[in-house]
């Protein structure tokens, strides 16, 4: 089977309330069969946020393929195209980093670990001596292991004492965390993937799941193609496969203008109040703020929403009725909300809809404020993103004291005098030189951050010493002062947690190449060289292995909502990942949160006291205590406000960025897979037929897209984006060769962020487009997803993936799954 052409694989439709049938997907290097594999090593896929359980094929000391694990609760054996084709190909790439590098005379040259770490430590010590801990910043990833994040958090917070720590999770799903904290008191997904088997309706808000979480979309298709399907509602300005499926199931596709999500959500919320679809008794007992929310949304009737969003009033009413009258509803949210205007307020509005109907904590009724990366959840849990480990509140002295006791340090060492520094502010401090030491691990901000030209200037400047730790010499690594070669997935051991809280153990399958080291070993080496000590003079970090680091983290979660105390490496070596909390009360894990409708909102428990969603102003401890949350969730609203950069005569189009199914982030791994690279080999931009005709642009023409900040050139796809909008995939970097034409999507985006989550707005900018020259053929954009041409069959179909196998297998029993193993009367 060609899983480039057939993204989701063979369907296995099944009735509502029954277990999703198992199907094992397999891909091996050319010429190999399963019988020839030396051993299979358990892990979980790292190429989206779904967290699919899998086994790594090892032959002659090399990773040669991957197989889905039928017994895993997340994927029931399935893998998507990125997982199948992209999991192992990068490991043998000839351009892997295998030795450290330092910059001498403006040129990066190979050196020993002793030389590289010596320069890092010397610079670190000098700046700490001259400027103190605020001179240091750490910017990490959503793709390390839990043990590595926690070690980084401890050395940064208790060793150095800097508040300047964040991850690229700030760019993709910081809003998910903020929305959960604002509504429920702490981070942590309320829902479960198993809700798909039990719901009557699924709402996808700014979430092109068909391309970003292909296995989860397969799970939905196996319900929508059954005899009793759920109804889908899609909120997306592009006509995606999700939008098509929504219409096929009798649902609706709402396509709001870019930047108007909150107005749409206010209109949907008003319809619930107006039509009596609010569970008044449940709301009165379990929430706070209903009256204020109703006052906020009262001025958003369907007709006003239509004026703001461009959505037909009857379509809005239809979507609201589906939500208001369905027995159980599952909602998912992703970048279309998180990276757009008024992000946190819009995501919180999704929570509000569920709270108003009491649709939470039971099978089929859940919320998944999705993540974009496989270990983004761990970054947030462990505190590598600036938050305190274990979902603790930096503004709560007792929470700070708990960590000080755990780490045996003075509480004053742990930065908590102000909110943690977010990624965009870290860049500003590095730009001005107040941060003189910036350590970047497993991420590529020269491509992924907004306003790319500025990011390149900051990283290349002499005012800040930059350390980059990665698998390859990325666009960011080329700008560094020191480059450290890291081991990747399958070359090290560690745990990670997916979007629905399921923890997996990924074991080392092979040795890393050359002198590459695990990120954990690199952080431990730095901590040892810096001689970080606790208050008694003992080493601050006492662990030396990944398992010892996990045990230390486990203790940090004791008594917190994110409780890992019932987990161990031995327990995780079972047939499936396990969703937290796992403790004495829940020894086998917890499928969904808040079944008792008690939320961690108490002043002594919560992770934040909350914010004004419009301005970002923080709620004080006294204000929070005064409302007496007592385990009740918060209903919060905000007025819609226009986006920061409206269109104009000079820049008449709206610019938005996003993803394609065949690439992941900045292509560090996926570009090194032939099947994935050939499926989406280079940059393109998408225009509507109306705009293309007006501008004299045909399919495949080379166009120049310009904003007030920068420009890119690429072939045009005349596609299914809404009129007035331009879409660009963000994956493609510009290598930086002299005279090279820029092709990065983020050359055009703004350095503007949400007032609560501090997540940058990648989806609300103004632009203009002009034709540069004829293209000589269609754009090399995929035809299988949302980037398909407006007229099917006019360009060659995307295909050519290496062969894979998909086979049905007996469906095992899955822990915590509320579904029946067999439908009534048998399958």
């Amino acid at each position: 089977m060609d899983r480039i052409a057939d993204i989701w694989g063979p369907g296995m439709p099944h009735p509502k309330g029954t277990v999703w049938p198992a199907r094992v997907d397999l891909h091996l290097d050319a010429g190999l069969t399963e019988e020839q594999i030396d051993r299979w090593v358990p892990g979980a896929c790292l190429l989206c946020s779904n967290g699919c359980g899998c086994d790594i094929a090892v032959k002659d000391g090399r990773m040669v393929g991957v197989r889905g694990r039928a017994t895993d609760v997340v994927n029931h054996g399935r893998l998507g195209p990125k997982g199948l084709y992209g999991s192992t190909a990068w490991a043998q790439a000839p351009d892997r980093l295998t030795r450290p590098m330092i910059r001498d005379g403006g040129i990066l040259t190979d050196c020993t670990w002793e030389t590289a770490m010596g320069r890092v430590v010397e610079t670190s010590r000098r700046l700490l001596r001259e400027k103190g801990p605020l001179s240091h910043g750490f910017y990490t990833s959503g793709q390390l292991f839990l043990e590595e994040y926690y070690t980084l958090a401890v050395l940064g917070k208790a060793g150095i004492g800097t508040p300047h720590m964040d991850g690229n999770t700030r760019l993709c799903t910081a809003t998910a965390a903020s929305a959960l904290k604002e509504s429920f008191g702490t981070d942590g997904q309320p829902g479960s993937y198993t809700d798909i088997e039990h719901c009557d309706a699924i709402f996808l808000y700014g979430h092109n799941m068909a391309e970003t979480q292909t296995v989860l979309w397969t799970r939905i298709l196996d319900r929508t193609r059954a005899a009793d399907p759920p109804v889908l509602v899609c909120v997306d300005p592009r006509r995606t496969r999700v939008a098509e499926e929504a219409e096929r199931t009798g649902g609706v596709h709402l396509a709001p203008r870019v930047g108007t999500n909150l107005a749409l959500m206010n209109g949907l919320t008003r319809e619930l109040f107006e039509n009596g679809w609010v569970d008044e008794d449940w709301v009165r007992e379990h929430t706070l703020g209903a009256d204020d929310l109703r006052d906020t949304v009262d001025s958003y009737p369907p007709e006003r929403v239509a004026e703001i969003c461009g959505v037909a009033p009857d379509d809005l009413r239809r979507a609201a009725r589906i939500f208001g009258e369905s027995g159980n509803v599952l909602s998912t949210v992703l970048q279309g909300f998180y990276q757009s205007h008024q992000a946190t307020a819009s995501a919180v509005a999704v929570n509000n809809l569920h709270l108003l109907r009491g649709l939470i904590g039971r099978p089929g009724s859940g919320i998944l404020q999705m993540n974009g990366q496989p270990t983004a959840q761990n970054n947030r849990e462990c505190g590598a993103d600036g938050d305190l480990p274990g979902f603790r509140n930096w503004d709560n002295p007792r929470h700070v004291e708990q960590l000080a006791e755990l780490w045996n340090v003075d509480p004053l060492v742990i930065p908590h005098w102000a909110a943690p520094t977010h990624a965009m502010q870290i860049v500003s401090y590095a730009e001005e030189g107040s941060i003189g030491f910036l350590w970047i691990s497993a991420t590529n901000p020269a491509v992924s951050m907004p306003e790319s030209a500025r990011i390149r200037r900051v990283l290349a400047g002499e005012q800040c010493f930059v350390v980059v730790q990665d698998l390859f010499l990325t666009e960011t690594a080329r700008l560094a002062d020191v480059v450290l070669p890291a081991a990747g997935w399958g070359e090290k051991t560690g745990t990670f947690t997916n979007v629905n809280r399921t923890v997996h153990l990924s074991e080392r399958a092979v040795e890393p190449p050359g002198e590459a080291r695990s990120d954990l070993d690199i952080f431990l080496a730095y901590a040892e060289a810096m001689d970080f000590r606790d208050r008694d003079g003992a080493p601050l970090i006492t662990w030396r292995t990944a398992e010892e680091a996990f045990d230390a983290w486990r203790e940090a979660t004791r008594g917190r909502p994110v409780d890992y105390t019932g987990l161990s490496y031995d327990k995780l070596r079972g047939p499936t990942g396990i969703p937290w909390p796992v403790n004495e009360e829940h020894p086998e894990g917890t499928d969904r949160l808040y079944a008792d409708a008690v939320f961690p909102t108490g002043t002594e428990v919560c992770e934040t006291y909350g914010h004004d969603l419009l301005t970002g102003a923080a709620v004080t401890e006294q204000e929070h205590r005064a409302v007496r949350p007592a385990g009740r969730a918060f209903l919060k609203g905000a007025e819609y406000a226009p986006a920061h950069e409206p269109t104009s005569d000079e820049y008449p189009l709206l610019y938005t960025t996003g993803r394609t199914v065949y690439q992941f982030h900045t292509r560090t791994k996926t570009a090194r897979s032939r099947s994935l690279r050939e499926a989406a080999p280079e940059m393109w931009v998408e225009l509507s037929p109306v705009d293309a005709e007006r501008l004299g642009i045909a399919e495949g023409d080379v166009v120049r897209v310009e904003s007030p900040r920068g420009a890119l050139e690429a072939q045009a796809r005349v596609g299914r984006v809404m009129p007035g909008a331009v879409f660009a995939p963000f994956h493609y970097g510009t290598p930086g060769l002299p005279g090279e034409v820029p092709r990065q999507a983020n050359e055009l985006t703004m350095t503007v962020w949400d007032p609560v989550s501090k997540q940058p707005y990648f989806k609300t900018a103004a632009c203009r487009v002009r034709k540069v020259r004829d293209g000589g053929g269609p754009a090399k954009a995929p035809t299988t997803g949302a980037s398909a041409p407006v007229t099917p069959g006019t360009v060659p179909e995307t295909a050519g993936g290496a062969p894979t196998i998909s086979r049905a297998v007996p469906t095992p029993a899955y822990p915590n799954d509320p579904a029946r193993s067999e439908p009534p009367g048998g399958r």
Side-chain angles (χ1 to χ4, degrees), residues 655 685 703-707 710-713 726 748 767-769:
Y655 180 74
V685 296
V703 299
R704 183 175 179 86
V705 187
E706 300 174 327
S707 81
L712 67 85
E713 292 187 11
V726 177
L748 284 73
C767 72
R768 62 191 177 204
V769 180

Side-chain angles (χ1 to χ4, degrees), residues 272-284:
L272 261 63
F273 283 113
E274 289 294 309
N275 290 280
W277 292 323
V278 175
D279 187 333
E280 301 285 356
D281 291 340
W282 196 94
V283 166
R284 189 179 306 109

Side-chain angles (χ1 to χ4, degrees), residues 8 202 204 210 217 220-226 229-234 239-253:
W8 307 289
I202 304 174
L204 299 100
W217 181 244
I220 288 179
L221 289 178
D222 282 344
R223 283 290 303 116
T224 61
R225 302 302 171 91
V231 177
L232 267 58
V233 174
C234 170
R239 184 169 172 75
T240 63
R241 298 292 188 186
V242 176
E244 293 176 355
E245 194 70 9
E247 293 172 351
R248 201 194 66 81
T249 62
V252 62
H253 174 209

Side-chain angles (χ1 to χ4, degrees), residues 67-151:
R67 179 180 66 192
R69 192 181 308 129
T71 57
D72 197 86
V73 296
V74 169
N75 57 317
H76 295 205
R78 292 159 180 80
L79 294 170
K82 289 193 291 288
L84 288 165
Y85 296 123
S87 287
T88 61
W90 57 271
Q92 286 82 44
D95 57 340
R96 276 293 298 274
L97 289 172
T98 59
R99 296 196 67 198
M101 305 175 80
I102 58 172
R103 188 172 298 278
D104 276 333
I107 299 173
L108 284 171
T109 58
D110 289 352
C111 67
T112 65
W113 269 100
E114 182 180 9
T115 299
M117 190 58 74
R119 185 168 295 189
V120 170
V121 170
E122 186 279 326
T123 304
S124 182
R125 284 177 172 164
R126 175 177 56 79
L127 286 169
L128 288 173
R129 184 173 61 250
E130 295 174 356
K131 295 185 175 182
L134 296 183
S135 63
H136 281 53
F138 294 87
Y139 183 64
T140 187
S141 177
Q143 296 173 58
L144 298 184
F145 286 160
L146 177 155
E147 295 80 358
E148 294 161 340
Y149 291 127
Y150 184 58
T151 301

Side-chain angles (χ1 to χ4, degrees), residues 658-675:
R659 289 153 174 72
T660 182
V661 64
Y662 302 115
Q663 299 295 347
F664 185 59
H665 278 237
T666 62
R667 302 167 66 241
T668 306
K669 290 181 177 178
T670 52
R672 290 169 171 85
S673 158
R674 181 192 62 79
S675 294

